[in-house]
Amino acid sequence: MVTKPPLLERLAQGPLLADGAMGTMLYARGFSFDRCYEALNIEVPEVVLEIHRAYLQAGAELLETNTFGANRYRLAEHGLADRVGMLNRAAVALARQAAAEVERPVWIAGSVGPLGVPLAPLGRVKAVEAREAFREQIAALAEAGVDALILETFSALPELVEAIRAAQEAAPHLPIIAEMTFAQDGHTLMGHTPEEVVEALLELRVPIIGANCSVGPAKLLPVIRRMASRVAAAGGPPPYLVVMPNAGWPEMAAGRLRYPATPDYFAEYASRFLALGVRILGGCCGTTPEHIAAMRRVLEARSEPSAEEHRPILRAVTPPAHAKPEPTDLARRLRAGFFVVSVEVDPPRGHDASALLEVVRTLKAGGVDALNIADSPMARLRMSPWALAFLVQNHVGMETILHFPTRGRNLLRIQSDLLAIHALGVRNLFVVMGDPPTQGDYPEATDAMDIVPSGLVRLIKERFNAGLDHAGESIGQPTAFFVGVALNFNAPDPAREMKALRRKIRAGADFIMTQPVYEPAALRDFLRRYEEQEGPIPIPVLAGVLPLMSLRHAEFLHNEVPGIQVPEAVRERLRRAGEERARLEGLRLAQEAAAELAEFAQGLYVMPPMGRYDLVFQIMEAIPAHRRPHGTPE
């Protein structure tokens, strides 16, 4: 057996060469990306072993285990969440077997990637849950005998921090290699700069830090330069630097992914990275044993650092501040204490909205303050709600509240959509999860989302309304969105709903709109319990009112529409009224609810069923006169 010093002692002697991509090599051997690559450690171990051998033959001194996605969340996508330990141990065994076959020291690094699910506050996975998942994987890697842990391809610094803390708890004896991935603008996808990443990792005393994946060597060079500059300025024993770029930006050719960066191109940049003081060189997506062999040749013929690598760092100039945007009319009315009434409409199924615009003109003339425009209600195909909002505001002169679901949108699309909506003049948003496509016309449509409602509220209020995007880059002038959030006061788990509401309020929500209320005492009780636990709700509440048209309508809403409960006592009243008088009884129930809600809510959110907009005015008649002030707020 070849003896070897600990990894940090080896790095003190000079640069070390790591291997390249595992996924790229498996893909080239015919394993599609929808396979669980970590399961191949058991299903076809000889293939993984062959790839390790190829990298060692190319001159690699550090092998990464085939465990990038071997955590409970990613494995759950393949029904393998209970095999975390088995797959990680099998991967380490294969890497160690390959290392034992060569007559030189080889270090094994246990690969740990992101969990593949967003963490709170953008997602539902809590920090403590994330750390436990990382700890589970890392403990298995440590038990199997890795020499180091490589935490790679993290785009969210908070998630990397949780992984580091898990590693320090589960395997304090193992050195950590921590790598972030950066976008073309030199920031992480979460908006952190290289300097901010270094600061966080220095505080955690991570011994080896750097970047991997990203775009290609040319884009990572300035990132590493900035990291090296910050490390040098920190003083004290500096951490070692690591870089493992992609082989450029992938493209499709003949139905297969192809990476453009050649081994010679990679070798050229290897020299430049070494000149910046990088101690571990390797490759990420698209790199092959040929790329590693090219870098090995550079290491064997090292030259002195070039003066070209010491260029000054250029920093972006902070854009000038802009005047604070004017609040919406809805915002002014709510802040002035006016009782407001909003009415929900569904966009038309075709491209002609003229009939609906006539309805809206009537609603405005009758005293309705704002128009709620649903987005693909019940996941059925309709006109874009943006278009309808634009038509209403420009042809009728009535403010809209645009429903903005997070479901089915990734983070990039959400941000571009927000810019487009603002450009159309829409300012009031109602942030919701959205109806799942499985219940609508297109059940095959994607249900994915990158952000939960509270995270979207925070993005809008803290970033866009401050003139920045999610990455912290300027979007020019700040947006002026006024943001509402949903409340299901009849949720099966009231404690969870209260926590969700607290997160939304803390994220900056401006107002609340509830599910339909049939027993105002239930909403009043929820608000009372929230106040006892969290203090008074600091933002206005618009209570939902949805008139019932029949007993069958009530039963449908109660049994088939998520989030809506029609109490048995209400259904019994409809039952006693009989089929002929049920519609009148449903209106009477809505009027009674509206009158009581007006005493403690700040407005009504009326949802006319089946296009019965005439019911809106009959419900408004039930609002006590002292709760319907007229005029324009200052």
Side-chain angles (χ1 to χ4, degrees):
M1 176 181 290
V2 177
T3 59
K4 62 188 178 189
L7 179 62
L8 295 180
E9 291 184 17
R10 166 61 184 83
L11 293 178
Q13 301 169 12
L16 176 144
L17 183 62
D19 59 8
M22 173 63 72
T24 299
M25 299 295 288
L26 291 170
Y27 178 75
R29 283 162 171 74
F31 297 97
S32 63
F33 287 134
D34 58 4
R35 290 286 296 270
C36 178
Y37 281 1
E38 292 73 21
L40 301 180
N41 295 324
I42 293 175
E43 295 171 359
V44 284
E46 65 279 1
V47 175
V48 178
L49 184 60
E50 176 191 347
I51 294 170
H52 285 320
R53 287 168 174 161
Y55 280 123
L56 290 174
Q57 186 175 356
E61 302 168 74
L62 183 145
L63 290 180
E64 295 184 41
T65 57
N66 180 34
T67 55
F68 175 80
N71 63 71
R72 67 176 70 161
Y73 289 101
R74 287 187 183 270
L75 292 179
E77 298 173 7
H78 304 278
L80 301 172
D82 60 341
R83 298 197 173 187
V84 172
M86 177 191 302
L87 295 177
N88 280 277
R89 288 190 292 271
V92 176
L94 290 172
R96 294 182 68 180
Q97 179 180 340
E101 296 173 357
V102 298
E103 296 296 325
R104 56 184 171 83
V106 175
W107 287 263
I108 307 299
S111 172
V112 177
L115 298 179
V117 291
L119 272 59
L122 298 181
R124 294 181 173 177
V125 177
K126 300 176 182 177
V128 65
E129 296 170 330
R131 193 183 303 186
E132 178 55 34
F134 285 126
R135 191 185 296 115
E136 178 184 27
Q137 181 185 5
I138 289 167
L141 292 169
E143 177 188 345
V146 296
D147 301 301
L149 296 166
I150 180 164
L151 314 179
E152 57 179 335
T153 324
F154 282 79
S155 59
L157 184 56
E159 185 176 11
L160 177 59
V161 168
E162 292 303 326
I164 291 169
R165 288 174 175 160
Q168 292 171 337
E169 294 168 2
H173 62 291
L174 291 177
I176 297 171
I177 305 169
E179 298 177 320
M180 291 290 293
T181 182
F182 292 82
Q184 297 200 40
D185 61 359
H187 292 68
T188 70
L189 293 181
M190 295 289 287
H192 290 99
T193 66
E195 292 83 3
E196 289 171 332
V197 171
V198 171
E199 289 284 353
L201 301 186
L202 284 174
E203 186 174 341
L204 291 168
R205 300 182 183 278
V206 180
I208 309 166
I209 67 176
N212 79 304
C213 201
S214 306
V215 182
K219 294 295 183 181
L220 274 188
L221 184 67
V223 169
I224 294 299
R225 183 183 295 117
R226 291 172 64 175
M227 296 183 89
S229 176
R230 180 63 193 89
V231 165
Y240 294 113
L241 291 173
V242 56
V243 65
M244 299 180 179
N246 281 356
W249 189 260
E251 55 189 23
M252 292 297 295
R256 303 288 289 178
L257 272 182
R258 175 183 174 276
Y259 287 83
T262 65
D264 288 341
Y265 179 82
F266 236 69
E268 176 189 345
Y269 273 90
S271 298
R272 304 174 78 176
F273 285 124
L274 290 170
L276 290 173
V278 167
R279 283 301 174 95
I280 299 182
L281 277 173
C284 201
C285 304
T287 56
T288 65
E290 287 72 26
H291 292 84
I292 301 306
M295 289 194 288
R296 168 52 61 192
R297 292 191 290 272
V298 171
L299 282 170
E300 293 174 352
R302 289 184 61 201
S303 59
E304 291 299 316
S306 166
E308 183 271 337
E309 298 302 341
H310 299 286
R311 296 176 295 198
I313 298 173
L314 300 179
R315 302 191 186 280
V317 178
T318 303
H322 296 277
K324 187 176 181 179
E326 288 293 320
T328 66
D329 184 63
L330 176 66
R332 288 196 297 268
R333 296 188 73 81
L334 286 173
R335 290 167 184 170
F338 285 17
F339 189 85
V340 305
V341 175
S342 70
V343 174
E344 179 173 296
V345 301
D346 293 339
R349 284 192 171 273
H351 58 77
D352 185 0
S354 56
L356 185 54
L357 291 179
E358 287 304 315
V359 170
V360 175
R361 289 186 178 94
T362 303
L363 292 172
K364 181 185 178 185
V368 172
D369 299 291
L371 197 74
N372 270 268
I373 301 181
D375 187 309
S376 300
M378 301 299 289
R380 293 191 169 94
L381 177 63
R382 291 180 179 272
M383 174 191 284
S384 163
W386 308 0
L388 182 57
F390 177 82
L391 292 173
V392 168
Q393 295 192 168
N394 285 272
H395 291 275
V396 181
M398 185 180 192
E399 274 197 353
T400 61
I401 303 174
L402 181 66
H403 291 210
F404 194 91
T406 61
R407 197 187 298 272
R409 284 182 165 110
N410 62 30
L411 190 55
L412 180 61
R413 182 187 163 191
I414 280 174
Q415 295 184 93
S416 62
D417 286 355
L418 288 172
L419 293 175
I421 290 166
H422 201 275
L424 292 175
V426 179
R427 301 290 185 266
N428 303 309
L429 297 180
F430 180 42
V431 171
V432 291
M433 188 78 74
D435 293 324
T438 52
Q439 71 181 37
D441 297 330
Y442 294 86
E444 72 278 8
T446 178
D447 195 27
M449 61 181 177
D450 283 352
I451 193 168
V452 295
S454 59
L456 178 53
V457 174
R458 190 176 302 278
L459 169 64
I460 295 170
K461 299 293 291 186
E462 295 185 0
R463 291 288 184 168
F464 270 63
N465 279 9
L468 304 171
D469 67 5
H470 185 267
E473 295 294 318
S474 172
I475 57 171
Q477 294 188 14
T479 57
F481 287 121
F482 189 63
V483 183
V485 293
L487 168 61
N488 180 9
F489 61 94
N490 281 319
D493 187 347
R496 181 176 180 181
E497 185 69 15
M498 287 186 186
K499 289 181 181 179
L501 180 60
R502 182 179 68 243
R503 287 196 298 269
K504 295 172 185 176
I505 292 174
R506 290 180 177 177
D510 296 300
F511 65 100
I512 297 165
M513 296 202 299
T514 79
Q515 290 281 18
V517 182
Y518 294 102
E519 288 183 337
L523 175 58
R524 193 192 293 268
D525 183 59
F526 181 95
L527 298 178
R528 177 186 55 78
R529 284 182 290 162
Y530 184 95
E531 182 172 348
E532 290 173 353
Q533 296 182 26
E534 306 293 339
I537 292 180
I539 57 178
V541 175
L542 277 62
V545 177
L546 196 170
L548 299 170
M549 303 296 287
S550 64
L551 177 60
R552 179 179 296 181
H553 182 212
E555 294 287 2
F556 170 78
L557 293 175
H558 183 73
N559 290 283
E560 298 195 37
V561 179
I564 297 183
Q565 284 190 22
V566 182
E568 174 59 29
V570 171
R571 285 178 282 153
E572 179 59 26
R573 281 184 59 173
L574 294 173
R575 207 174 282 120
R576 290 199 307 266
E579 186 174 346
E580 292 184 0
R581 297 183 59 81
R583 180 173 300 181
L584 183 60
E585 188 66 19
L587 173 60
R588 186 176 295 114
L589 283 162
Q591 290 173 322
E592 292 172 5
E596 187 173 346
L597 290 167
E599 297 301 331
F600 66 93
Q602 288 73 50
L604 297 183
Y605 163 35
V606 184
M607 295 160 261
M610 307 171 195
R612 289 295 306 275
Y613 298 107
D614 56 302
L615 298 178
V616 173
F617 301 123
Q618 298 181 66
I619 292 170
M620 291 173 64
E621 290 173 359
I623 300 172
H626 69 279
R627 295 295 285 150
R628 286 290 293 155
H630 297 284
T632 303
E634 295 296 329

